[in-house]
Structure formats: structure tokens, C-alpha cells
């Protein structure tokens, strides 16, 4: 069982230079690359040492893992070589670990030394994430180059990576300066990720490095080194164990549901080259729980950076990146102010901001005076300010995601799926979606259930411990309230004006199937707003308001339910998550609850990465925390009642 170590604030690298201009790290007392030419060293040692580009040619996917991103030199050299190769693999994954990443301005300074990479370096910096711990996924070059940055200590983070690696770039600081990065423990962790025949290359030929790699089942040989270095080391993984992450050979999928979960999943599948059929029972995308005029986008920090904190941070950044690539999606990064409820909560918020140490562009704590200035009226407490947060219109996001790949995504509206059944075509199996009359609406090897609150009525999802939570929002005439230019949250939320409407909300109730609006709920929404901003909505009669009612799919632990579907509830006798039998080809993206906007892009990336066998965009402990089988395993651990 893996033990989670609380994230520590990242310490960015401090870029320095030797007298001859070579980038240098005083923290490790070592240079970032050879004095005699960084790009040439990258090509000789790491590309040449792994027999690239020849080994990726004609492949659908090729995965490289690097220990030490540094200045991004090796990645830029690989990206440039891949671009220039007419026989390149369809998708290139580059996974890189960095304990002390550079800031974007630091990268700008360092990368000026390589004019041959100027265009690619600018694109990299344009996508460079905020310096926060964990995994950051960058989709580059039309989604054909995927850079997965792991910010943290390789000695702990390597065991959290899930990937099938074809080539390793071992490029940390020298073993004498940074021995942990070359330890036997770390080399065994590399072997866990290696596919049969995986290769490695490094400039180091130190005896302890060779011994650690040989013990980890790598056959090694020395080759001529670069420039002034006489030798370098290359290796090949000798184990012939089966590949645990084979790529599918038939990329056709059905997605049931065109809400925010289904639409973003279809988008990510299409980006990976799949042909996707989306079946939606309503007449428009985003008509169910995703049909609000707007929803809030921000992370939810905690001082100990718990699972919810890590997931909402990663989800927030992933949704921001998706929105940046969908010009027709409607949203506004106007900022989100999350006020504390009382003095103790305010102290917790302040402590969390201090302990996490996130960059100010992601999170700030503001006192009540500063909060009042942002709102234009006094408030009773301070709170968190998220400068990059804002509002998103879910139906517009759904439409934009589904329209992004018209040649690969086919959407059938008014297509009510009544049941699912297994399909068999020769030796291959798959799934059919049928309507109430028994007509086959679609058939494919892969089916993703993303129908929100409706999922448990399908036989294969009857076990799903998901509840429908009723929520009602209220639409205020924006002219009847003072201006509000940011998203405000405390015990309820209020949005800036959108098409003459100010959205506030939202009620939350269980075991409540009333589809019509209730005046009492409008009154409750107004009361919550008035507790935060007394007089803000004065004179508005709840009986005059309209809004919208939706039913959100909530999981017992409030986390999404994303991954392969367990075979049946009887599998609960197995106490290990990864030992649960699954229904081949059946997946789900469920349980998004009240955070569909924040979850959507990240969960789609996770789901499709698992389907494809690609490197995962989350640490393994978080992947397990989202797995649909977690509820069956938990049940198996409880004592049996007699």
C-alpha cells in the first residue's frame, strides 16, 4: 500500500551561469548541460543513444521518460527531430520529472541561447504551467505531442507515474552531486515502467550507475561520449514480460450522454484519433445537469493538499487549457473570490495559502479590506482570491467540444438509449446501445457511460452508488442589483451579468425529485446572497424569479467515478482494486456532482489515457481514488454481518 506524503511547496530553480555562459545550478553545484553545446549533446547522447528517430517510425505511439527536465533542452531537441521526420509516430509522449522547475521568465532567459529552437521554445513557454506540485499535462502540436511534466522529487514521484515507456533519458545532475537520482531504488522504479525492449541513454558511466541499472534488468554498453567526454552509457531492458498498456487497434467508441462529461470525453477521444458516436436523449448538448447559464471554475485548496485539493487544482488547470483551445466556448476568467464563513475559517484559508505556497497567479489570500475593494462594498471577512478563476457556460463548452472534430465526432440528438448489450464480431467483442424498440443506435468496441443521474438505471450500472442531488439556481435581473464583475462565493455564489441575468445559487437536496422550480428555493438563494452582501438584492421578491432545476450525479465521497467498469457486484469478494474483474470495453465518466466544470477536461484526459494505454495525467493514488471499483473494494473490507 502506497503512503501519501503531503506535498511541499515547490522551490523554483535559480538560474545562474558559469563565466563562459553555461547554465549552472548552485543548489547541486553542477551545470545543466555540456559547455561544448547543449543541443548537440542532446542529439548525440539522448536521441542517438536511444536510436531515435528510427525506433519511433511507423508507430502509433512512442513514450519517452526523462529524469530532469531542466531547461527543456532534450524535449526541444526531440520535438524538433519528430517534426522533421516524415515517418514519425502519430503521437509522441514525453514524460519528464523536475524537482526544481524554472519559472517561465527563467526559461526565456535560458532558451535564448538556442535560436534553432526559438519557435518551439516560445510554444512551450506559452503552455508552461504554474509551479505547483504534481502532474501537468501539455497538449502541443495539434495534440500529437503530449508533454507530461511531473513537478516534484523523482524519488517519490516515479512510483506515482503510470506509463509504458519506450525510451529513458537519464539526465539528472551528476551522481556525485545528486546521488538519489541514480540510486538502485530509482532504477528499479524505471524498470517498472519499461516496455519490453525499452532503451536508455545517459552521459554518466559511473560504476554505481551501471551496477544499479544492471540489477534492474538493463543490458548495458558503453559508446563514445559527446565532445570532451570519452564515454556514455546505453542500455536495453531485457525482461520479456507482456506489455501492460497495449494500444487498441480499433478506435471506435460510443459515448452515452452529451453533457459536460460526455462532450469532453468525446473531444479527447477524437483528439486521440478515435471515431466517436455520441448518443444524447435530449435535443441539444448540455441539456441535463450541464444546462446552467454559467458555473464556477476554481480549485479548492487545503493546507494539507489533500486529494480534493490536488484534484481540483489539476482539474482547474486542465479546464483552463481546454478552454484556451476552444474559441467558441463561452467563459470569462474574471477571477473568483471565495470569502471565509467565519473567523476560524478565515484563519484556515490564510494558513492554507501560506503552507501551499502556490504562485500568486493561481491563489492569493486577501484580507477583508482588500476583498471589499474587489467587490466595491464592505464584507465581514477575507478569503481566497483566484485571479485565473471565473465562470464557464456549460452548454457552450459542450457544443464547442463536440464541434472541434467534425470528421471524427457524430452526434445523434433525441437518441434515448434504453439498454446496453455485449456485441460479438468474430473474435472481437464490443457493445451495442439500443433504444426501447430494440433498434441498435450504435455499436463499437468501446462504450463510455456519461449520462449523469440516469446511469444507474442501466443493468451494468445498477451497482453504482450514485445519488441524484436536486439543485435550483435563480436568475436575477442584473439591472436590479449593483454591479458585480467577479464570481463571488461564500455560502452561495453570485455571477457577473450574463445576457442581462445575474445567476445566483444554488440549493442542494437529496431524495427530492421535484422538477419544477420552488419559490422557497429562490428565497433561500436570495437569503444566502444577502448574508454575504447585505442589501445587494434588496427589493427582489423571490416569487417573481425564474431559474433552473437540475439533478447532479453525486458519489458518496464527492469524487468522480472514472475508469473501467467492474464486471458485477459479486466482484466485491476481492479486496484488491486491481484484482477486480472488469467488463471489457465498458467505461464510465460519472459522479461529477457540483464540480462538473472543474472535473471535465481532466477526467476526459484520464479516461482516454487509460483506454489508450497512454501515460496517465494523474498520480496513481489519485487514479485509484477515482476508479469505479473502489466502492466494491471498500465493501469487501467491512466485516460481514450475520
Amino acid at each position: 500500500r502506497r503512503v501519501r506524503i503531503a506535498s511541499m511547496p515547490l522551490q523554483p530553480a535559480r538560474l545562474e551561469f558559469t563565466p563562459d555562459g553555461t547554465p549552472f545550478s548552485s543548489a547541486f553545484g553542477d551545470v545543466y548541460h555540456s559547455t561544448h553545446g547543449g543541443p548537440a549533446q542532446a542529439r548525440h547522447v539522448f536521441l542517438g543513444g536511444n536510436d531515435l528517430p528510427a525506433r519511433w517510425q511507423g508507430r502509433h505511439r512512442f513514450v519517452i521518460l526523462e529524469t530532469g527536465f531542466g531547461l527543456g533542452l532534450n524535449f526541444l531537441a526531440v520535438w524538433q527531430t519528430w517534426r522533421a521526420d516524415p515517418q514519425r509516430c502519430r503521437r509522441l509522449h514525453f514524460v519528464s520529472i523536475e524537482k526544481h522547475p524554472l519559472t517561465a521568465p527563467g526559461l526565456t532567459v535560458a532558451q535564448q541561447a538556442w535560436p534553432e529552437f526559438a519557435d518551439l521554445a516560445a510554444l512551450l513557454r506559452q503552455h508552461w504551467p504554474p509551479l505547483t506540485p504534481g502532474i501537468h499535462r501539455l497538449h502541443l502540436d495539434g495534440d500529437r505531442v503530449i508533454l507530461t511534466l511531473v513537478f516534484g522529487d523523482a524519488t517519490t514521484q516515479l512510483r506515482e507515474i503510470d506509463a509504458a515507456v519506450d525510451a529513458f533519458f537519464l539526465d539528472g545532475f551528476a551522481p556525485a552531486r545528486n546521488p538519489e537520482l541514480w540510486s538502485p531504488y530509482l532504477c528499479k522504479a524505471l524498470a517498472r515502467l519499461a516496455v519490453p525492449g525499452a532503451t536508455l541513454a545517459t552521459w554518466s558511466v559511473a560504476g554505481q550507475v551501471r551496477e544499479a541499472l544492471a540489477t534492474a534488468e538493463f543490458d548495458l554498453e558503453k559508446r563514445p561520449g559527446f565532445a570532451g567526454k570519452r564515454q556514455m552509457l546505453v542500455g536495453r531492458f531485457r525482461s520479456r514480460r507482456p506489455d501492460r498498456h497495449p494500444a487498441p487497434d480499433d478506435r471506435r467508441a460510443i459515448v452515452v450522454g452529451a453533457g459536460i462529461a460526455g462532450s469532453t470525453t468525446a473531444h479527447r477521444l477524437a483528439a486521440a484519433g478515435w471515431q466517436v458516436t455520441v448518443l444524447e436523449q435530449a435535443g441539444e448538448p448540455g441539456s441535463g445537469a450541464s444546462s446552467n447559464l454559467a458555473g464556477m471554475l476554481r480549485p479548492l485548496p487545503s493546507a494539507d493538499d489533500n486529494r480534493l485539493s490536488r484534484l481540483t487544482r489539476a482539474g482547474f488547470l486542465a479546464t483552463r487549457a481546454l478552454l484556451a483551445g476552444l474559441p467558441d466556448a463561452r467563459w470569462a476568467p474574471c477571477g473568483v473570490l471565495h470569502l471565509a464563513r467565519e473567523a476560524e475559517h478565515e484563519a484556515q484559508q490564510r494558513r492554507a495559502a501560506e503552507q501551499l505556497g502556490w504562485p500568486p497567479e493561481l491563489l492569493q489570500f486577501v484580507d477583508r479590506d482588500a476583498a471589499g475593494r474587489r467587490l466595491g462594498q464592505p464584507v465581514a471577512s477575507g478569503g481566497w482570491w483566484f485571479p485565473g478563476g471565473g465562470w464557464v457556460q456549460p452548454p457552450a463548452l459542450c457544443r464547442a467540444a463536440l464541434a472541434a472534430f467534425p470528421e471524427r465526432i457524430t452526434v445523434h440528438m433525441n437518441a434515448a438509449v434504453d439498454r446496453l448489450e455485449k456485441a460479438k464480431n468474430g473474435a472481437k467483442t464490443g457493445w451495442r446501445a439500443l433504444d426501447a424498440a430494440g433498434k441498435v443506435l450504435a455499436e463499437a468496441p468501446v462504450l463510455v457511460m456519461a449520462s449523469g443521474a440516469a446511469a444507474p438505471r442501466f443493468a451494468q450500472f445498477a451497482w453504482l452508488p450514485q445519488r441524484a442531488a436536486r439543485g435550483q439556481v435563480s436568475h436575477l435581473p442584473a439591472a436590479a442589483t449593483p454591479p458585480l464583475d467577479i464570481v463571488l462565493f461564500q455560502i452561495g455564489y453570485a455571477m457577473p451579468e450574463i445576457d442581462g441575468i445575474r445567476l445566483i445559487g444554488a440549493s442542494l437536496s437529496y431524495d427530492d425529485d421535484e422538477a419544477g422550480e420552488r419559490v422557497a428555493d429562490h428565497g433561500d438563494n436570495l437569503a444566502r446572497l444577502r448574508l454575504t452582501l447585505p442589501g445587494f438584492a434588496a427589493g427582489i421578491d423571490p416569487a417573481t424569479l425564474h431559474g433552473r432545476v437540475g439533478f447532479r450525479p453525486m458519489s458518496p465521497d464527492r469524487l468522480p467515478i472514472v475508469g473501467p467498469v467492474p464486471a458485477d457486484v459479486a466482484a466485491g469478494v476481492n479486496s484488491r482494486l486491481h484484482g477486480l474483474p472488469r467488463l471489457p470495453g465498458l467505461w464510465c465518466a460519472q459522479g461529477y456532482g457540483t464540480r462538473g466544470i472543474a472535473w471535465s477536461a481532466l477526467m476526459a484526459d484520464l479516461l482516454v489515457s487509460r483506454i489508450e494505454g497512454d501515460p496517465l495525467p494523474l498520480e496513481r493514488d489519485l487514479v485509484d481514488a477515482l476508479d469505479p471499483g473502489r466502492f466494491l473494494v471498500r465493501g469487501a473490507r467491512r466485516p460481514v454481518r450475520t
Side-chain angles (χ1 to χ4, degrees):
R1 181 179 173 85
R2 297 188 301 277
V3 178
R4 167 69 187 165
I5 300 173
S7 299
M8 299 294 291
L10 284 180
Q11 297 297 323
R14 189 176 70 179
L15 186 62
E16 303 165 272
F17 295 90
T18 62
D20 66 1
T22 303
F24 177 82
S25 168
S26 59
F28 292 96
D30 200 2
V31 295
Y32 277 96
H33 60 72
S34 167
T35 305
H36 302 286
Q41 179 190 29
R43 295 186 186 102
H44 178 89
V45 175
F46 296 107
L47 280 96
N50 282 286
D51 301 322
L52 299 175
R55 287 185 55 235
W56 69 38
Q57 291 177 346
R59 300 268 299 270
H60 174 80
R61 173 184 73 210
F62 195 84
V63 180
I64 297 170
L65 187 143
E66 174 187 51
T67 56
F69 188 79
L71 314 180
L73 173 59
N74 293 334
F75 171 68
L76 292 172
V78 166
W79 191 3
Q80 184 186 68
T81 302
W82 178 87
R83 270 192 164 189
D85 183 6
Q87 299 180 66
R88 60 184 175 262
C89 54
R90 185 188 179 278
R91 299 188 100 197
L92 175 68
H93 282 269
F94 194 99
V95 182
S96 188
I97 307 172
E98 180 54 59
K99 184 177 182 179
H100 300 296
L102 281 168
T103 63
L107 283 177
T108 300
V109 173
Q111 293 170 348
Q112 285 175 346
W114 314 314
E116 64 207 273
F117 298 140
D119 292 344
L120 295 181
L123 285 172
L124 171 63
R125 294 192 300 270
Q126 179 184 330
H127 290 81
W128 195 245
L131 299 192
T132 58
I135 297 180
H136 301 263
R137 178 66 63 85
L138 281 62
H139 296 271
L140 305 166
D141 226 325
D143 230 23
R144 297 173 300 166
V145 175
I146 297 93
L147 172 60
T148 302
L149 293 166
V150 185
F151 288 163
D153 191 331
T155 59
T156 57
Q157 291 302 307
L158 254 178
R159 67 188 179 197
E160 293 296 340
I161 293 173
D162 194 322
V165 179
D166 298 290
F168 294 94
F169 292 8
L170 306 187
D171 193 26
F173 290 111
R177 305 290 186 179
N178 188 19
E180 294 84 2
L181 203 57
W182 307 87
S183 68
Y185 171 83
L186 187 133
C187 292
K188 288 180 181 178
L190 297 178
R192 177 183 65 82
L193 301 172
V195 302
T199 61
L200 66 83
T202 179
W203 44 263
S204 176
V205 292
Q208 70 265 35
V209 173
R210 299 198 313 271
E211 182 180 351
L213 289 170
T215 302
E217 297 191 81
F218 285 94
D219 293 326
L220 305 170
E221 67 170 294
K222 295 177 182 177
R223 290 186 186 175
F226 174 75
K229 193 165 179 63
R230 189 167 63 90
Q231 294 177 317
M232 57 176 275
L233 193 67
V234 300
R236 183 174 294 273
F237 190 54
R238 76 174 74 100
S239 173
R240 304 309 301 171
R241 70 187 180 207
D243 185 355
R244 296 176 297 114
H245 300 280
D249 56 6
D250 188 346
R251 289 181 166 81
R252 294 179 298 119
I254 303 165
V255 176
V256 180
I260 201 164
S263 298
T264 52
T265 298
H267 175 272
R268 183 52 51 208
L269 281 165
W274 288 65
Q275 294 293 324
V276 187
T277 301
V278 179
L279 304 175
E280 168 57 49
Q281 65 178 351
E284 293 289 338
S287 297
S290 301
S291 64
N292 275 350
L293 177 66
M296 179 168 47
L297 175 61
R298 56 83 196 253
L300 190 61
S302 69
D304 62 350
D305 205 22
N306 59 24
R307 285 176 175 171
L308 185 61
S309 174
R310 294 161 62 202
L311 282 165
T312 56
R313 176 175 72 244
F316 167 78
L317 295 173
T319 298
R320 284 271 323 205
L322 173 63
L323 290 165
L326 294 175
D328 292 333
R330 193 175 182 194
W331 68 295
C334 57
V336 175
L337 180 63
H338 181 162
L339 294 176
R341 296 183 298 273
E342 75 287 307
E344 182 179 352
H345 186 215
E346 184 174 7
Q348 291 172 354
Q349 287 185 313
R350 184 191 296 272
R351 185 167 61 253
E354 291 172 351
Q355 291 184 203
L356 290 170
W358 294 357
E361 65 268 25
L362 185 59
L363 170 66
Q364 301 170 27
F365 177 83
V366 293
D367 62 24
R368 68 177 186 179
D369 292 336
R373 286 193 296 272
R374 292 199 177 277
L375 286 168
Q377 71 176 84
V379 289
S381 63
W384 287 323
W385 168 242
F386 303 100
W391 60 264
V392 178
Q393 190 171 82
L397 172 55
C398 294
R399 290 192 297 268
L402 293 172
F405 297 96
E407 74 284 5
R408 295 188 194 144
I409 299 177
T410 302
V411 183
H412 295 293
M413 309 308 299
N414 301 304
V417 180
D418 181 71
R419 64 187 186 276
L420 310 176
E421 67 178 26
K422 292 181 181 178
K424 193 168 180 63
N425 185 3
K428 296 184 177 181
T429 60
W431 292 90
R432 294 191 187 99
L434 296 88
D435 66 12
K439 176 186 174 183
V440 176
L441 299 172
E443 181 175 336
V446 167
L447 187 145
V448 179
M449 176 58 63
S451 64
R457 69 179 179 82
F458 292 92
Q460 295 83 359
F461 296 89
W463 59 272
L464 191 66
Q466 181 180 269
R467 302 172 68 189
R470 182 186 183 276
Q472 180 173 315
V473 298
S474 304
H475 295 169
L476 311 185
T481 69
L484 181 65
D485 298 326
I486 62 176
V487 177
L488 173 66
F489 179 82
Q490 191 182 45
I491 53 175
Y493 61 81
M495 300 281 179
E497 177 267 329
I498 305 170
D499 298 335
I501 294 171
R502 187 171 316 288
L503 183 75
I504 68 168
S507 67
L508 180 66
S509 57
Y510 297 98
D511 300 320
D512 184 347
D513 58 2
E514 174 59 54
E517 296 176 39
R518 292 196 289 246
V519 173
D521 287 358
H522 288 311
D524 288 345
N525 288 338
L526 283 170
R528 281 191 290 270
L529 177 59
R530 288 166 178 160
L531 284 173
T532 304
L533 298 176
F536 185 83
I540 296 179
D541 181 356
T544 66
L545 295 179
H546 295 286
R548 193 195 147 273
V549 173
F551 295 88
R552 308 153 181 153
M554 307 285 283
S555 68
D557 55 12
R558 300 296 181 94
L559 295 180
I561 305 169
V562 176
V565 176
D568 53 48
V569 73
V573 299
N574 190 311
S575 61
R576 289 178 56 84
L577 179 63
H578 298 283
L580 290 176
R582 311 285 178 150
L583 290 170
L586 189 61
W587 302 76
C588 70
Q590 290 290 140
Y592 287 18
T594 60
R595 298 190 176 96
I597 293 171
W599 297 137
S600 56
L602 179 64
M603 294 303 113
D605 195 2
L606 171 62
L607 186 72
V608 175
S609 295
R610 293 193 73 175
I611 293 172
E612 279 274 277
D614 286 343
L616 300 188
L618 283 171
E619 295 90 337
R620 290 200 300 161
D621 69 312
L622 294 180
V623 174
D624 289 350
L626 302 168
D627 192 293
R630 68 189 188 265
F631 303 106
L632 305 185
V633 170
R634 288 175 185 171
R637 289 176 180 159
R638 299 190 189 103
V640 177
R641 294 181 180 178
T642 57

